[in-house]
Amino acid sequence: MAVDRHNSVVVDSAGVAFEDHGRSAEFPWHEIRSVHYKAGPNGKTLMMAVIHLDGRFYECVVDAKSRDLLGTWFAQLAPVLGYYRPLG
């Protein structure tokens, strides 16, 4: 889970969920083609994208308070995504 004042990303056994300024979207694993994430240009932002099976693209951006926190989020994301989405 990555959370800031306005947005959040949750990756768990059910799939991926985004909240962006009060609007939420949930993506069950069976509807996800792939999940991608990277650091934003400032080095303190998690940028995550979900590609739906039909090709639609959804993105959520969460600001970390520090680069260390972003590193922690990345360290937690890698094994969780590897477990639930071993092929991408």
Side-chain angles (χ1 to χ4, degrees):
M1 178 186 294
V3 178
D4 68 18
R5 287 180 29 186
H6 302 288
N7 303 332
S8 67
V9 170
V10 176
V11 180
D12 61 17
S13 62
V16 179
F18 292 161
E19 184 167 328
D20 186 349
H21 291 83
R23 293 174 298 183
S24 61
E26 296 182 8
F27 309 97
W29 289 117
H30 69 274
E31 295 178 1
I32 296 174
R33 177 179 295 163
S34 60
V35 178
H36 306 275
Y37 64 96
K38 66 180 183 177
N42 68 1
K44 294 188 339 183
T45 303
L46 168 65
M47 301 172 70
M48 180 174 275
V50 169
I51 311 300
H52 198 269
L53 286 175
D54 65 10
R56 289 180 288 169
F57 174 89
Y58 301 89
E59 186 176 65
C60 189
V61 176
V62 181
D63 293 320
K65 290 185 179 185
S66 68
R67 286 186 170 93
D68 288 340
L69 179 57
L70 181 64
T72 300
W73 290 347
F74 273 51
Q76 293 170 349
L77 274 170
V80 172
L81 287 171
Y83 182 79
Y84 291 112
R85 296 296 299 174
L87 301 176

